[in-house]
Amino acid sequence: MSGVPGIEEFQISIPQASLDNLAQRLEKTRWPSVLPGSAWQRGVPVEYLRGLAEYWRAGFDWRAQERRLNAYPQYTTEIDGQRIHFLHVKSPEPNATPLLLLHGWPGSFVEFLHVIGPLSDPRAHGGDPAQAFDLVIPSLPGFGFSGPVAEPGWTSRRIAAALAELMSRLGYQRYGAQGGDFGAFIAPDLGRVDPDHVIGVHVNAATMGFIPFGDVPEEEKATFSPVEKERLQRLASFMADGNGYFQI
């Protein structure tokens, strides 16, 4: 892979000074007073958050995680002015199908670590070797080691075009794409921008499924069963009271 023009090998190596700085900032956190009896009704309880911060300060072993992540072959390249970081895990099966795995927001390539083995080497996991995949798992522009973005405008369509170029650089003429959350927008766009090479798209979040179309007309509501009406009310409650991050 290091011989492919424009693609460089990559290893995660966070400077110790950065880790020390994080620990110092956690240690110096100024904690607010506690409202008696509020539990989780007014946000995260202070004591719970203090315990979590202390775990990050003194309990979490980043170097162990770094070694775990670096066990997988990683690379970087520049496409459309943007640095792209990705894992490239080749299957031991000679006729494996190339597959892009696309994370969502606010995720990362780490979401896919537990499926790398079964997908790339199903024979070793009790599966059918005919269902093996060569895996390309990018960090989307602006995420992880592909960040920061060099400029605005990185829509799902533009990301899809960049990833199509990545697959071309890797020498893949036929490949599939899988995505969830924001990846569920990018994967279908890959089929649109690179239809001659994309052989299939799978999403684990319906592209419109978590973005409702809008209000349901009263005449249509009248046809709903009690169960459907209850589900619609739950959706309305979520959109009004639990979906602020998405509105932002």
Side-chain angles (χ1 to χ4, degrees):
M1 174 64 64
S2 58
V4 178
I7 294 180
E8 299 180 357
E9 294 184 359
F10 178 82
Q11 287 272 282
I12 302 169
S13 181
I14 303 300
Q16 186 60 42
S18 297
L19 303 180
D20 293 341
N21 178 264
L22 174 60
Q24 292 165 6
R25 286 184 287 126
L26 289 170
E27 187 176 21
K28 294 177 180 179
T29 301
R30 296 176 62 184
W31 299 101
S33 58
V34 180
L35 186 64
S38 63
W40 286 86
Q41 296 175 349
R42 298 184 181 276
V44 180
V46 172
E47 285 308 308
Y48 178 91
L49 196 56
R50 289 183 71 133
L52 187 61
E54 179 60 18
Y55 166 71
W56 279 107
R57 187 192 72 81
F60 182 75
D61 187 347
W62 166 251
R63 293 302 183 198
Q65 296 303 316
E66 204 171 61
R67 290 190 295 272
R68 174 183 175 228
L69 299 177
N70 282 335
Y72 298 96
Q74 301 174 61
Y75 306 89
T76 60
T77 191
E78 184 175 310
I79 300 174
D80 192 11
Q82 176 64 41
R83 167 190 167 102
I84 302 292
H85 161 263
F86 62 99
L87 272 62
H88 188 201
V89 181
K90 297 275 289 184
S91 172
E93 304 298 337
N95 297 314
T97 301
L99 178 65
L100 267 168
L101 296 179
L102 306 173
H103 67 81
W105 180 93
S108 76
F109 70 92
V110 179
E111 296 174 18
F112 297 110
L113 294 187
H114 66 292
V115 299
I116 289 177
L119 289 177
S120 65
D121 192 5
R123 187 191 302 269
H125 292 79
D128 182 356
Q131 297 178 349
F133 297 93
D134 282 349
L135 300 176
V136 179
I137 312 175
S139 298
L140 299 182
F143 291 76
F145 302 105
S146 288
V149 287
E151 62 183 2
W154 279 92
T155 62
S156 61
R157 184 67 66 99
R158 185 174 177 182
I159 294 173
L163 296 179
E165 169 61 22
L166 173 62
M167 296 303 278
S168 176
R169 289 186 187 181
L170 294 175
Y172 292 129
Q173 296 301 310
R174 302 173 67 256
Y175 64 93
Q178 194 284 331
D181 192 80
F182 189 51
F185 290 82
I186 300 168
D189 271 345
L190 268 158
R192 299 180 182 108
V193 303
D194 199 18
D196 293 337
H197 301 105
V198 174
I199 59 176
V201 169
H202 175 274
V203 296
N204 60 293
T207 305
M208 292 302 296
F210 56 93
I211 305 178
F213 287 100
D215 293 334
V216 178
E218 290 299 325
E219 58 270 22
E220 188 172 351
K221 286 183 185 178
T223 68
F224 282 14
S225 69
V227 171
E228 289 171 331
K229 290 178 180 177
E230 190 271 335
R231 288 174 177 169
L232 185 64
Q233 181 56 49
R234 281 165 48 197
L235 175 60
S237 297
F238 172 76
M239 294 301 293
D241 197 43
N243 198 33
Y245 79 95
F246 199 89
Q247 304 305 324
I248 293 171

